[in-house]
Amino acid sequence: MIIVFFVLAFVAVGCAISMLITRNAIYSALFLVLNFATVAILYLILGAPFIALSQITVYAGSVIVLFLFVVMLLGAERLPGGEPLRWQRFIAMALGLVLAVNLGLAITQQAGDLGMLAAPEKGFGAPVEVGRVLFSQYVLPVQIVAFILLVAVVGAVVLSRSEEISHRRELYRKPEAKE
Amino acid sequence: MDGAMILEWVLKSVFILLFMTAGFAYTTLFERRMIAKFQARIGPNRAGPWGLLQPVADGLKLIFKEELIPAHADKVMFVLAPVITVIPSLIVTAVVPWGGVVDLFGRKVPLYLADVNVGLLYIMAVTSISVYGITLAGWASNNKYATLGGLRSTAQMISYEIAMGFCFVVPVLLAGSLSLVDIVEAQKKIWFIFLQPGAAIILAITMYAEVNRAPFDMPEAEQELTAGYHSEYSGMKFALFFMAEYIKMIAVSMIFATLFLGGYHFPFVDQIPVIGPYLGPFVLLAKTLVLLFGFIWVRATLPRIRYDRLMAFGWKVLFPLSLLSVLVTAAMVLLVK
């Protein structure tokens, strides 16, 4: 199991880095899909098939498809090469070094309890359990998220049709102006 | 998890893959013969008795065709796209049960590969992945028609997937489980199509759109887009797209039969002495064949829908109706309880 974990971790990190490096937006999106898929398999290993398949359906299946759709529709495959903010790079390097040192320290000092987790009991994270918790303990957050999503959907519709709406208003206004 | 168990899983997986591939070959023949009948023609009947060797001849022909890769095409994606299209269609039926538990060679063998408690979600995940192949094929071909075809099919499949997802919720509500085995067992007394005919009809329509078949074969509209996303493909790469389309047809027919037509159950069949429990797969196959005939019948009968009407139909008609059917089913389940 630990070998599978390391292979998957390696692939996931590799995909994430390639996604950042590659200069083609389509390949970037596809590396992100691969990353999501490997993370989903990690969830499967941890005994959470529901979360794993939700991850694939929502992120790999819907979000990135829309990304691809927009990239292809706009013909924006080639990303611009140069970095407009040159000084950012040096700060990023320094901060990255700090982060690496920090991580290294954390691992060397606390590596003692980096063991395998025991597999959760059967039925943990099953759809029934997830549903029960979502609609009893976390019912308020679920409602709030649903409301925010609704606002976003209405906003998208209004934004995409704003021209048409203003055009229609003018059509109705014109006869009044003549009188 | 002993050795025999692993062998059993491997054998079942290989059987499903081989069955789907063979099914693809003979579905093409079935379709050509049937369409010929609809159009008062004879159809392919030269290769072998009743044209039974026609798929073999087609396969041989396609192997010997030249494989072209257009100039300035994205080579990696161009080669990968057909593969990405075929794999989801081959693996989507892994969770569909073929029958109950039977005695085979002295051991209890369940006639399904995987009874996972997230079966329906697995189908959703795999179908949502299958969009990639078509989109990438269109983009990688470096051809305007192909790109347009790919974009259209992406928009169509995403739009109809939403209504399809809501139709999946209906059997889940009625059976109280996401596992397909539980859903089939819950239909032992009455098939879900009699409880919720509306949802079944919506699911059937979205299925046609999901596999890009007539009257929703917009992505490959010959007259306006030459052949949509696969206009630049030839030889075996083209055959892979062709294969994916037909395997998807078989797969969605099996899924529809499982969700709404009682899967491997048929009244009184399991009461037949001795061979009763072994007949499950044949019942499922018979239902699949009827649904496949439906696909062909619709293709022979209906003209293609215009693109804007197709999108309007998906979003303004099917989506609200599927929401309504979920609401009605939920109310029904609560009232019966």
Side-chain angles (χ1 to χ4, degrees):
Chain A
M1 238 7 165
I2 199 129
I3 300 169
V4 178
F5 168 78
F6 273 110
V7 170
L8 284 175
F10 194 73
V11 172
V13 173
C15 287
I17 293 173
S18 328
M19 182 218 124
L20 290 173
I21 290 174
T22 177
R23 281 274 150 232
N24 187 327
I26 302 272
Y27 278 81
S28 266
L30 291 177
F31 276 124
L32 199 54
V33 172
L34 215 54
N35 184 316
F36 286 149
T38 34
V39 172
I41 300 173
L42 281 179
Y43 290 149
L44 267 186
I45 291 176
L46 290 173
F50 182 74
I51 303 293
L53 290 174
S54 310
Q55 160 103 358
I56 291 184
T57 315
V58 175
Y59 287 100
S62 313
V63 175
I64 303 297
V65 169
L66 288 177
F67 278 14
L68 273 185
F69 190 77
V70 171
V71 169
M72 287 180 189
L73 207 62
L74 299 179
E77 290 94 343
R78 296 257 156 246
L79 298 173
E83 185 73 47
L85 299 172
R86 285 283 171 99
W87 49 271
Q88 236 182 7
R89 231 174 243 186
F90 300 102
I91 298 179
M93 272 181 201
L95 284 178
L97 205 66
V98 170
L99 183 68
V101 168
N102 202 346
L103 275 177
L105 275 181
I107 289 172
T108 46
Q109 280 175 1
Q110 296 172 357
D113 46 9
L114 198 72
M116 281 300 282
L117 286 171
E121 73 266 35
K122 212 169 157 57
F124 172 81
V128 176
E129 287 304 311
V130 173
R132 191 166 287 144
V133 175
L134 271 186
F135 289 103
S136 56
Q137 196 179 344
Y138 296 106
V139 70
L140 188 63
V142 167
Q143 293 289 327
I144 292 172
V145 168
F147 189 72
I148 293 173
L149 283 177
L150 182 68
V151 171
V153 168
V154 172
V157 170
V158 168
L159 281 180
S160 67
R161 306 197 59 158
S162 61
E163 262 180 34
E164 198 179 317
I165 290 166
S166 62
H167 180 66
R168 236 182 245 170
R169 264 188 208 145
E170 269 170 26
L171 276 184
Y172 288 123
R173 224 174 269 158
K174 264 181 187 166
E176 287 173 21
K178 269 184 187 172
E179 281 173 11
Chain B
M1 200 191 289
D2 54 330
M5 195 96 160
I6 292 173
L7 185 69
E8 187 187 312
W9 284 339
V10 171
L11 282 180
K12 278 185 202 165
S13 313
V14 170
F15 176 77
I16 289 181
L17 292 182
L18 284 182
F19 175 81
M20 290 316 246
T21 324
F24 144 68
Y26 281 93
T27 311
T28 57
L29 181 68
F30 181 54
E31 173 167 41
R32 290 173 69 181
R33 296 283 297 193
M34 280 301 143
I35 286 207
K37 287 259 188 304
F38 277 115
Q39 298 169 346
R41 292 186 285 118
I42 297 170
N45 67 344
R46 293 286 133 174
W50 307 290
L52 277 180
L53 293 177
Q54 186 67 36
V56 183
D58 284 344
L60 274 177
K61 184 194 84 174
L62 281 168
I63 286 173
F64 287 112
K65 289 255 175 177
E66 186 184 0
E67 303 238 1
L68 291 172
I69 296 184
H72 304 295
D74 191 314
K75 286 210 179 60
V76 182
M77 280 304 140
F78 191 79
V79 176
L80 264 181
V83 181
I84 301 177
T85 317
V86 168
I87 289 174
S89 58
L90 276 173
I91 62 174
V92 71
T93 45
V95 290
V96 173
W98 289 59
V101 181
V102 295
D103 285 312
L104 268 185
F105 312 116
R107 48 181 286 143
K108 293 239 176 261
V109 178
L111 288 179
Y112 39 80
L113 180 62
D115 177 25
V116 282
N117 60 3
V118 287
L120 216 47
L121 203 60
Y122 170 84
I123 292 177
M124 276 304 285
V126 176
T127 47
S128 66
I129 289 292
S130 68
V131 183
Y132 281 106
I134 292 175
T135 320
L136 289 174
W139 173 77
S141 300
N142 188 30
N143 174 325
K144 281 178 197 138
Y145 292 120
T147 312
L148 273 177
L151 286 176
R152 279 186 177 187
S153 67
T154 317
Q156 172 184 329
M157 284 166 93
I158 292 177
S159 310
Y160 280 77
E161 219 164 70
I162 296 169
M164 192 177 77
F166 279 114
C167 290
F168 280 176
V169 174
V170 168
V172 171
L173 281 173
L174 289 171
S177 169
L178 277 168
S179 152
L180 288 172
V181 177
D182 291 351
I183 289 175
V184 172
E185 287 303 323
Q187 299 179 70
K188 204 161 186 175
K189 284 203 188 98
I190 182 164
W191 295 354
F192 287 162
I193 193 170
F194 298 119
L195 294 176
Q196 275 296 336
I201 292 171
I202 298 171
L203 180 62
I205 296 173
T206 54
M207 259 168 36
Y208 284 68
E210 204 53 33
V211 300
N212 295 327
R213 287 280 302 184
F216 303 110
D217 54 348
M218 194 50 57
E220 34 192 292
E222 287 91 355
Q223 293 86 347
E224 36 191 308
L225 292 175
T226 59
Y229 61 89
H230 55 51
S231 24
E232 294 288 357
Y233 281 88
S234 55
M236 282 315 278
K237 291 202 204 70
F238 169 74
L240 282 181
F241 282 118
F242 204 57
M243 187 170 149
E245 185 184 326
Y246 281 87
I247 292 179
K248 267 189 217 156
M249 253 168 77
I250 304 173
V252 293
S253 299
M254 282 171 84
I255 291 165
F256 184 82
T258 306
L259 290 183
F260 280 100
L261 298 180
Y264 52 82
H265 281 309
F266 197 82
F268 310 117
V269 162
D270 53 348
Q271 286 160 21
I272 296 172
V274 189
I275 56 163
Y278 298 96
L279 288 178
F282 296 98
V283 172
L284 182 66
L285 281 187
K287 287 172 182 170
T288 309
L289 210 58
V290 170
L291 289 168
L292 280 177
F293 179 71
F295 270 105
I296 294 163
W297 192 356
V298 166
R299 182 184 161 187
T301 315
L302 289 181
R304 185 177 301 127
I305 299 182
R306 214 173 64 200
Y307 181 63
D308 55 334
R309 294 213 176 143
L310 172 121
M311 294 304 273
F313 183 62
W315 283 102
K316 293 179 187 162
V317 179
L318 289 183
F319 175 52
L321 279 181
S322 62
L323 268 179
L324 188 72
S325 76
V326 169
L327 199 71
V328 170
T329 318
M332 208 169 85
V333 170
L334 274 184
L335 283 180
V336 172
K337 261 185 189 170

